[in-house]
Amino acid sequence: FPEMLSNPRLVLVQGSLNVVMNQNVTLSCHSDSGSPPVTYTLFKHNWKVFTLKRPDLTPGLFNLTINSASDVGEYKCKAENNISGGGKYSNSLNFTLIEPISKPVLSSPTSQAKKGQNVTLSCLSENGSLPITYIFFKGRQSISPAVKMQKREAAVIFLFINSSSDFGTYKCRAENSFRNNTKYSNSFNFTLAEERSHSQPLIISLGLMLLLFIIGFALAIPFFIIPSYKASE
């Protein structure tokens, strides 16, 4: 007697679910039991992509090439035979497009600092598939644990400027799941902010007072000389 098909299984037999542009992948759709012949249809978000007919219960193989971002997403397959019932649907597989990251930019709200000051450093790659992992360096030594960002946001660390050695060269590194695509940022240096001497405001104040005294004395001289001159006459 004709037998209904079992739910098919959709599996990846070549490639990976994390794909790059122009990558080839192969999917297999297979019902373990049921009466042949079998028609396998591959769907992407409910749109038919391919249809294959098998005279027996051998798997249906679908070869895909990821040519654009529209080729990634969720795929399912459907198995049908001559028995009415609408067919059976498989599990889903979801492809994610992996893009290389761009060179990260290391920045800070201030480029000048003084000893005893707290500062921040931000590292951001504008392009590349998420998540992106950032690590901060001072010279060649890492100064932070790996920071994994799930959103297109900068990784931020807080630093305390404690000594002159803290004014060295800083960099950050960014990487994602794209193979062999680690990128380093520009270099960033904090410069020592000039600290005003506490005596400077006092010296300026005394100078202004002396100048005002001289001007006042010069303006007052005629009032003393003229009356004395008249009295001598």
Side-chain angles (χ1 to χ4, degrees), residues 214-228:
I214 294 173
I215 293 174
F217 181 76
L219 293 174
I221 288 177
F223 294 98
F224 289 102
I225 294 177
I226 294 175
S228 299

Side-chain angles (χ1 to χ4, degrees), residues 206-221:
L206 291 175
L208 289 173
M209 291 176 63
L210 180 60
L211 179 62
L212 291 173
F213 177 77
I214 294 173
I215 293 174
F217 181 76
L219 293 174
I221 288 177

Side-chain angles (χ1 to χ4, degrees), residues 9-232:
R9 290 180 296 109
L10 184 65
V11 296
L12 182 70
V13 295
Q14 180 185 341
S16 65
L17 293 179
N18 293 326
V19 294
V20 298
M21 206 68 75
N22 300 318
Q23 180 176 335
N24 296 318
V25 296
T26 302
L27 299 176
S28 170
C29 185
H30 183 219
S31 287
D32 292 326
S33 62
S35 299
V38 184
T39 299
Y40 294 108
T41 304
L42 184 68
F43 291 86
K44 179 184 177 296
H45 294 307
N46 299 322
W47 290 88
K48 288 184 180 181
V49 180
F50 292 112
T51 297
L52 296 173
K53 291 186 177 182
R54 289 286 181 263
D56 48 28
L57 292 179
T58 57
L61 298 179
F62 300 98
N63 297 309
L64 303 175
T65 301
I66 306 300
N67 291 316
S68 66
S70 63
D71 293 328
V72 297
E74 185 182 70
Y75 285 82
K76 285 186 177 182
C77 70
K78 180 182 180 182
E80 298 173 279
N81 59 8
N82 295 328
I83 300 176
S84 61
K88 298 289 185 69
Y89 285 90
S90 73
N91 56 295
S92 62
L93 291 178
N94 198 359
F95 287 98
T96 302
L97 184 64
I98 302 288
E99 295 179 300
I101 54 176
S102 58
K103 180 178 178 178
V105 175
L106 183 65
S107 61
S108 176
T110 178
S111 61
Q112 292 187 328
K114 56 186 178 181
K115 293 180 182 179
Q117 181 178 343
N118 292 306
V119 294
T120 61
L121 281 174
S122 301
C123 185
L124 176 64
S125 286
E126 293 284 353
N127 300 303
S129 51
L130 299 170
I132 298 177
T133 301
Y134 297 95
I135 299 179
F136 292 83
F137 294 84
K138 180 178 176 295
R140 294 185 178 181
Q141 183 177 1
S142 63
I143 57 173
S144 74
V147 181
K148 181 177 286 189
M149 302 300 295
Q150 302 289 345
K151 297 180 180 180
R152 188 74 60 190
E153 297 176 350
V156 179
I157 63 168
F158 299 89
L159 301 174
F160 179 69
I161 304 298
N162 191 40
S163 64
S164 57
S165 63
D166 295 325
F167 291 94
T169 300
Y170 293 87
K171 281 189 175 184
C172 68
R173 187 180 75 193
E175 58 187 4
N176 61 4
S177 54
F178 195 95
R179 292 182 178 180
N180 303 319
N181 188 52
T182 298
K183 295 287 182 67
Y184 284 87
S185 72
N186 54 293
S187 299
F188 189 92
N189 289 74
F190 290 104
T191 57
L192 181 63
E194 295 183 2
E195 298 185 17
R196 288 187 174 183
S197 172
H198 294 295
S199 61
Q200 283 184 344
L202 180 61
I203 294 173
I204 294 173
S205 299
L206 291 175
L208 289 173
M209 291 176 63
L210 180 60
L211 179 62
L212 291 173
F213 177 77
I214 294 173
I215 293 174
F217 181 76
L219 293 174
I221 288 177
F223 294 98
F224 289 102
I225 294 177
I226 294 175
S228 299
Y229 178 74
K230 290 183 178 181
S232 62

